[in-house]
Amino acid sequence: MALSTTLFFMVVTVLAIAPHLGPSVVGAHKDGGGGYLYPQFYDHSCPRAQEIVKSVVAQAVAKETRMAASLLRLHFHDCFVKGCDASLLLDSSGSIISEKRSNPNRNSARGFEVLDAVKSALEKECPGTVSCADIIALAARDSTAGGPSWEVPLGRRDSRGASLSGSNNDIPAPNNTLPTIITKFKLQGLDLVDLVALSGSHTIGFSRCTSFRQRLYNQTGNGLPDSTLDPSYAAQLRTGCPRSGGDQNIFPLDPASPAHFDNNYFKNIIYSKGLLNSDEVLFSKSQKTMELVKLYAQKNDLFFQQFAISMVKMGNISPLTGQKGEIRKHCRKINTY
C-alpha cells in the first residue's frame, strides 16, 4: 500500500513539472513527431479549455447519470484502436468507414453529442486549438466525479482516418477468455495491474442483454448457465433478458451502486455477481488477477490510486503529436483543405 501510494504521488509530481523538463521525462510521452504530452499544454493557447470540458460534461451527467460511463467507455474504445487519436469519433465519409459500425460500438457507443457540444464551445473560445482526442481524454477524467481524479497529459492530435477492423479485433469483448483479454491489453502496453484496475470502470454504467445472455442460458454449449454466476442473481437477470429477444435491454454493471464510482464492482465479483464474463474471469481464472480483485475490494483508496495511474498510462497509447494528424474543426469529420 505504501509503495503504491508513493508511486502515485511520484507520477502526479512528475506530470506537474513535465513542461519544465526535457521530453524524455517519465510521465511525458514523446514520439517521433517531436512532441510530448503534458497537463499544461493549453495553459497559454486556451487557458479555459479544461474548465469548459468539465462544465459541459457535468451538465450532461446531471441530465443523465448514465452518460458518465458512456464517455469513459469512449476513451477506452478510442485508445485501443490506433491509439488515442479520436478515430472513433469519425463518421463514415469518402474512404473512411466509421469505427462506430464495429461490433463493440454498434448500438452501444454513445455520448458523441456531448463531445460535439464540448468541441463547439471550445471552437468559440479558441478556434482550431484543442483536439478531439484531448477532449475525449478530459471528458473521461471528468466523468469519474466523486471517484478518482488525475492530471491528464495533453497535446494529442486527431487522426485523419479510422480502422473498422482494428475496432472489431483490438477491443476486449465481454465473452473473451482471460488469456485473450490479457493479450489485447499487453498489445497496448498495459499489464495485469492495469487490466484489473481499468476493469473497475464497470463500477458505473450499464450493459446490454446481448453482452451476457450466454451466461444465463448456454455458457459452454451444454444448455446450462454459467456455474460461476450466482443463481439468484442469474434468475433476476433472466426476468429482463430472455432466451431470445430483448437484446437492447440494459442492466447495471454494478447493481449495488450503479451511479457511484467506488470499489463495489470488485466486491460483486467476489460474490459471483459480476455481470459480464470478462468481469468474473478476473476472479475465477487467474490467481494473480484474483488477488488484485480482493485487494481493490478491500482498499477503495488503493483502487482509486491505481485507476488514475492506469488511465494516464492508457491515455498515452500511441498519441499523434507534433505535426502528425490535425486539430479537427468538427470531431465527426476530417478537415478539408
Side-chain angles (χ1 to χ4, degrees):
M1 170 91 182
L3 178 61
S4 296
T5 304
T6 302
L7 176 61
F8 173 72
F9 286 111
M10 282 174 62
V11 170
V12 171
T13 301
V14 169
L15 287 175
I17 63 175
H20 310 294
L21 301 173
S24 60
V25 163
V26 175
H29 187 98
K30 185 178 187 298
D31 77 350
Y36 62 102
L37 308 182
Y38 56 94
Q40 296 81 3
F41 188 85
Y42 297 110
D43 279 9
H44 298 294
S45 60
C46 192
R48 294 186 60 240
Q50 297 201 44
E51 175 190 335
I52 289 170
V53 177
K54 188 172 185 177
S55 174
V56 176
V57 168
Q59 291 174 39
V61 174
K63 186 177 179 181
E64 183 193 11
T65 306
R66 182 187 172 199
M67 187 55 67
S70 298
L71 293 172
L72 186 55
R73 186 170 183 256
L74 289 182
H75 190 32
F76 279 78
H77 284 211
D78 180 44
C79 290
F80 268 74
V81 183
K82 296 172 72 266
C84 308
D85 62 357
S87 60
L88 171 58
L89 304 189
L90 289 171
D91 289 338
S92 294
S93 176
S95 62
I96 295 172
I97 303 175
S98 178
E99 293 170 17
K100 297 172 185 177
R101 296 169 56 178
S102 71
N103 292 327
N105 295 323
R106 189 173 60 249
N107 298 323
S108 65
R110 58 197 299 278
F112 299 108
E113 70 285 352
V114 177
L115 300 182
D116 289 339
V118 173
K119 182 61 174 174
S120 177
L122 286 170
E123 284 298 304
K124 290 177 183 175
E125 177 77 13
C126 34
T129 304
V130 183
S131 69
C132 299
D134 279 344
I135 290 172
I136 299 176
L138 287 169
R141 188 270 309 276
D142 295 337
S143 293
T144 64
S149 189
W150 58 95
E151 283 198 295
V152 180
L154 300 166
R156 300 167 190 80
R157 289 167 65 83
D158 301 324
S159 70
R160 289 182 56 79
S163 177
L164 180 63
S165 62
S167 189
N168 275 320
N169 297 320
D170 298 342
I171 297 172
N175 59 353
N176 279 160
T177 63
L178 183 58
T180 297
I181 297 170
I182 291 172
T183 297
K184 288 183 177 182
F185 271 75
K186 189 175 181 179
L187 288 172
Q188 306 295 348
L190 301 172
D191 59 25
L192 272 186
V193 174
D194 299 315
L195 191 167
V196 178
L198 292 174
S199 294
S201 61
H202 285 177
T203 182
I204 56 174
F206 293 77
S207 184
R208 297 176 299 154
C209 167
T210 186
S211 296
F212 60 85
R213 175 184 281 120
Q214 86 284 348
R215 299 192 71 201
L216 303 179
Y217 301 101
N218 190 24
Q219 175 71 351
T220 60
N222 60 2
L224 297 175
D226 186 347
S227 61
T228 66
L229 186 62
D230 177 80
S232 61
Y233 182 44
Q236 178 186 339
L237 293 172
R238 278 192 287 268
T239 62
C241 185
R243 193 179 294 271
S244 62
D247 286 5
Q248 304 302 316
N249 293 348
I250 59 172
F251 299 79
L253 286 157
D254 170 16
S257 53
H260 297 283
F261 203 104
D262 53 35
N263 65 339
N264 277 333
Y265 164 79
F266 298 104
K267 297 175 183 178
N268 295 337
I269 293 176
I270 292 174
Y271 289 106
S272 301
K273 293 183 178 180
L275 182 62
L276 304 178
N277 191 71
S278 56
D279 298 324
E280 196 58 47
V281 293
L282 297 178
F283 193 74
S284 60
K285 299 297 184 182
S286 161
Q287 184 69 32
K288 290 182 179 179
T289 55
M290 175 195 285
E291 291 303 323
L292 287 166
V293 168
K294 289 180 178 178
L295 182 63
Y296 297 147
Q298 293 169 355
K299 300 182 182 296
N300 190 64
D301 57 343
L302 185 59
F303 162 49
F304 278 16
Q305 290 167 12
Q306 185 56 55
F307 186 83
I309 292 169
S310 295
M311 284 295 289
V312 170
K313 189 174 175 183
M314 186 188 76
N316 278 346
I317 298 173
S318 305
L320 299 174
T321 58
Q323 298 304 309
K324 293 184 177 180
E326 64 180 15
I327 305 297
R328 289 186 214 139
K329 295 176 183 176
H330 303 282
C331 290
R332 294 174 183 261
K333 59 185 181 182
I334 60 174
N335 296 339
T336 54
Y337 297 97

